[in-house]
């Protein structure tokens, strides 16, 4: 694969010179996985009353944290007008807690596809949740249990589902009167982040396990969700990065890789092989493929082995230490640059922009004389090139068993060049919706990123556009 040196991104593209340049098959490692999370709750009323929907956006701080509800999380306004609640069951009465959980879980699974699509629609460019990377949805149904021979008992059935911008979702499972549920939310970024990427294309936090604790209160008349502060912080980092041998840097739980050592195909992160199968996972080690001279790779392996070890050795102890009922693990699997065809058999790396903050600062006379006079429109973020990341999501039980639940693609910017822009507002003009300041050094034009007539980038190149906040 040809390498590319990072060049300044001025007009929205950079050309990789070379005849029929091909993109790398894959590159290990995922960065910027910390999602900006919207927590959404619904209390369904089987008696026919209006279900209530509420939500809070927990914004990540760069890649290292989140503001919780207690830390100035931003409430999602008019959520009930933007989403159709999941319908409640026809009757709130059940013979047993098990029957209530089973039947409500079945009904929720039936309706979640449509609801998840609605939520995902709000995460798209130009929509109210355009900067959100994942929604955590908790569904609560007040129920009455009539079995047992005594007086009817009132309780609640809850389920929590994770929704991605693609509309994909997975639910933890309906439970009766669960009370307080704690979930470890963890992200693992593989250490071999440079594998297969052009020169100077780096991703942050290689070999790190980063985690936070999500608490779901579900024993009252509804459900609330919040990220807990542990030792003064929301997000915590465990470094599992190592270096050595032919790997360079690698993470303790990076998946197996096929590479070349001494001009021969090798299976990396394998400590022993027998009968054409890797029999021992050993990070940092490698085993040559004896049949490589025939041009045929012969070693087989189980790619889930490092995930299982990570779940058992690192995630389960966190669940035990903090009394969590389970964990969600995002495992960054592959990342690949996005190239577009260029002139003369060249390939053009797709420019990407991540606008992390848009703020309007009203002038001193803003509300009295001339609306917008003396105000400023400020914008911060990064630009670089577009990478598509494949992420596998697993549910991890307290015993450390990882169960695959979902796979999705994220779009990130790498390598990233930070920018900060400020434009004075005059003549009563006030930016709104898709309005942005040109992020590149060539100018400070204000335009709609949905119709970029300045840099001629498609809307998909703007991987995040933060909502406008008036301060």
């Amino acid at each position: 694969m040809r390498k590319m040196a990072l060049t300044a991104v001025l007009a929205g593209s950079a050309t990789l010179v070379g005849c029929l340049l091909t993109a790398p098959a894959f590159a290990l490692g995922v960065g910027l996985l910390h999602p900006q999370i919207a927590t959404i709750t619904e209390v369904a009323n089987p008696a026919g009353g209006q279900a209530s929907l509420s939500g809070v956006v927990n914004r990540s701080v760069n890649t290292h944290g989140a503001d919780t509800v207690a830390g100035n999380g931003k409430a999602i306004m008019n959520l009930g007008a933007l989403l159709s609640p999941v319908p409640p069951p026809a009757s709130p009465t059940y013979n047993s807690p098990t029957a209530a959980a089973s039947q409500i879980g079945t009904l929720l699974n039936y309706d979640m596809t449509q609801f998840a699509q609605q939520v995902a629609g709000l995460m798209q460019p130009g929509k109210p949740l355009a900067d959100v990377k994942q929604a955590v949805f908790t569904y609560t149904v007040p129920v009455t249990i009539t079995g047992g021979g005594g007086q009817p008992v009132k309780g609640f059935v809850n389920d929590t589902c994770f929704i991605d911008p693609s509309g994909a979702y997975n639910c933890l499972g309906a439970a009766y009167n669960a009370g307080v549920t704690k979930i470890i939310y963890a992200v693992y970024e593989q250490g071999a982040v440079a594998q297969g990427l052009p020169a100077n294309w780096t991703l942050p936090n290689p070999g790190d396990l980063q985690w936070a604790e999500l608490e779901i209160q579900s024993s009252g008349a509804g459900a609330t969700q919040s990220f807990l502060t542990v030792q003064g912080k929301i997000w915590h980092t465990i470094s599992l990065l190592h270096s050595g041998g032919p790997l360079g840097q690698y993470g303790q739980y990076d998946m197996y890789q096929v590479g070349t050592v001494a001009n021969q195909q090798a299976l990396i992160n394998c400590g022993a092989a027998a009968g054409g199968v890797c029999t021992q996972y050993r990070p940092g080690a490698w085993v040559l493929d004896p049949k490589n001279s025939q041009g045929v790779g012969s070693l087989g392996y189980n790619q889930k082995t490092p995930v299982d070890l990570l779940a058992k050795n690192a995630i389960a102890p966190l669940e035990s230490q903090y009394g969590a009922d389970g964990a969600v693990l995002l495992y960054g699997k592959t990342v690949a640059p996005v190239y577009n065809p260029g002139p003369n058999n060249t390939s053009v790396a797709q420019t990407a922009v991540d606008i992390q903050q848009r703020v309007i600062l009203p002038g001193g006379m803003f509300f009295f004389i001339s609306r917008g006079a003396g105000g400023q429109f400020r914008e911060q973020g990064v630009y670089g090139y577009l990478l598509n990341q494949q992420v596998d999501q697993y549910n991890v039980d307290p015993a450390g068993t990882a169960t695959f639940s979902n796979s999705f693609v994220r779009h990130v910017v790498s390598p990233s060049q930070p920018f900060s822009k400020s434009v004075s507002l005059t003549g009563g003009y006030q930016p709104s919706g898709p309005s942005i300041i040109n992020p590149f050094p060539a100018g400070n034009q204000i335009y709609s990123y949905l119709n970029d007539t300045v840099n001629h980038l498609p809307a998909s190149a703007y991987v995040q556009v933060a909502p406008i906040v008036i301060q």
Side-chain angles (χ1 to χ4, degrees):
M1 183 196 73
R2 302 196 180 199
K3 300 286 186 178
M4 186 201 74
L6 174 62
T7 58
V9 184
L10 299 179
S13 65
T15 301
L16 306 183
V17 179
C19 188
L20 295 177
L21 179 65
T22 58
F26 65 88
L28 295 181
V30 172
L32 295 178
L33 278 180
H34 276 313
Q36 295 176 321
I37 301 168
T39 58
I40 302 173
T41 62
E42 175 184 342
V43 180
N45 189 341
Q50 178 64 41
S52 63
L53 279 164
S54 61
V56 173
V57 177
N58 301 286
R59 305 190 190 288
S60 65
V61 181
N62 295 324
T63 60
H64 293 289
D67 294 331
T68 65
V69 178
N72 300 320
K74 180 184 177 183
I76 304 172
M77 302 300 294
N78 300 320
L79 188 65
L82 300 174
L83 297 172
S84 298
V86 174
S91 171
T93 303
Y94 299 89
N95 292 327
S96 69
T98 301
S102 175
Q103 294 178 39
I104 290 174
T106 299
L107 291 173
L108 177 62
N109 288 335
Y110 179 81
D111 292 309
M112 267 303 298
T113 298
Q114 180 177 351
F115 183 79
Q117 290 293 335
Q118 291 184 47
V119 174
L122 298 181
M123 301 185 202
Q124 304 311 307
K127 300 299 183 179
L129 301 183
D131 60 336
V132 169
K133 303 304 181 186
Q134 190 165 61
V136 183
F137 171 59
T138 294
Y139 179 69
T140 299
V141 181
V143 297
T144 300
I145 306 301
T146 59
Q151 294 294 321
V153 176
K154 294 185 180 298
F156 304 90
V157 170
N158 306 96
D159 200 354
T160 297
C161 305
F162 297 83
I163 305 171
D164 298 306
S166 66
Y169 70 91
N170 71 288
C171 300
L172 298 180
Y176 173 77
N177 200 19
V180 177
T181 301
K182 292 184 179 180
I183 299 172
I184 298 295
Y185 198 102
V187 178
Y188 179 70
E189 300 175 356
Q190 297 189 64
V193 294
Q195 181 73 24
L197 287 176
N200 297 324
W201 286 39
T202 59
L203 293 173
N205 307 319
D208 283 350
L209 176 68
Q210 297 178 294
W211 63 273
E213 185 178 6
L214 175 65
E215 181 179 84
I216 303 170
Q217 294 273 2
S218 54
S219 58
T224 61
Q225 304 175 85
S226 61
F227 282 91
L228 301 181
T229 299
V230 178
Q231 297 178 348
K233 297 187 300 182
I234 300 296
W235 288 100
H236 302 263
T237 300
I238 301 173
S239 178
L240 300 168
L241 186 65
H242 302 275
S243 62
L247 296 181
Q249 69 176 20
Y250 61 94
Q252 183 72 27
Y253 298 100
D254 284 8
M255 69 178 182
Y256 294 102
Q257 307 169 47
V258 177
T260 301
V261 178
N263 298 319
Q264 191 171 2
Q265 182 173 292
L267 190 66
I268 300 175
N269 289 342
C270 177
V277 177
C278 181
T279 60
Q280 184 182 94
Y281 177 77
R282 184 181 174 189
W286 51 272
V287 175
L288 290 175
D289 180 353
K291 295 185 179 181
N292 184 63
S293 59
Q294 302 175 23
V296 179
S298 63
L299 288 176
Y301 51 89
N302 184 355
Q303 291 192 2
K304 191 170 177 287
T305 296
V307 177
D308 290 337
L309 291 173
L310 175 62
K312 180 180 179 181
N313 297 340
I315 306 299
L318 287 174
E319 294 180 65
S320 175
Q321 181 177 356
Y322 293 98
D325 301 273
V328 173
L329 170 63
L330 301 185
Y331 187 94
K333 191 174 181 182
T334 65
V335 62
V338 177
Y339 295 110
N340 296 325
N344 301 321
N345 293 324
T346 60
S347 292
V348 179
Q350 173 66 62
T351 298
V353 181
D354 184 346
I355 297 177
Q356 300 166 349
Q357 185 180 63
R358 292 188 296 167
V359 175
I360 293 178
L361 298 174
M365 306 299 290
F366 186 84
F367 294 105
F368 300 100
I369 297 179
S370 175
R371 183 171 177 83
Q376 285 189 325
F377 182 30
R378 295 182 179 178
E379 177 181 282
Q380 289 184 346
V382 297
Y383 60 78
Y385 300 113
L386 181 64
L387 300 180
N388 285 342
Q389 300 180 331
Q390 181 182 342
V391 181
D392 284 353
Q393 183 166 315
Y394 296 86
N395 294 335
V396 182
D397 65 22
T401 301
T403 303
F404 175 81
S405 62
N406 191 20
S407 183
F408 53 93
V409 174
R410 293 187 189 275
H411 306 292
V412 295
V413 177
S414 177
S416 59
Q417 174 66 41
F419 66 86
S420 179
K421 293 292 189 80
S422 180
V423 173
S424 296
L425 299 176
T426 59
Y429 174 75
Q430 183 174 4
S432 61
S435 299
I436 65 171
I437 307 171
N438 181 13
F440 303 108
N444 290 330
Q445 306 96 322
I446 296 179
Y447 61 88
S448 168
Y449 76 92
L450 298 177
N451 182 27
D452 182 354
T453 59
V454 176
N455 298 298
H456 306 289
L457 294 176
S460 60
Y462 295 89
V463 299
Q464 174 186 207
V465 178
I468 293 177
V469 176
I470 299 178
Q471 293 186 344

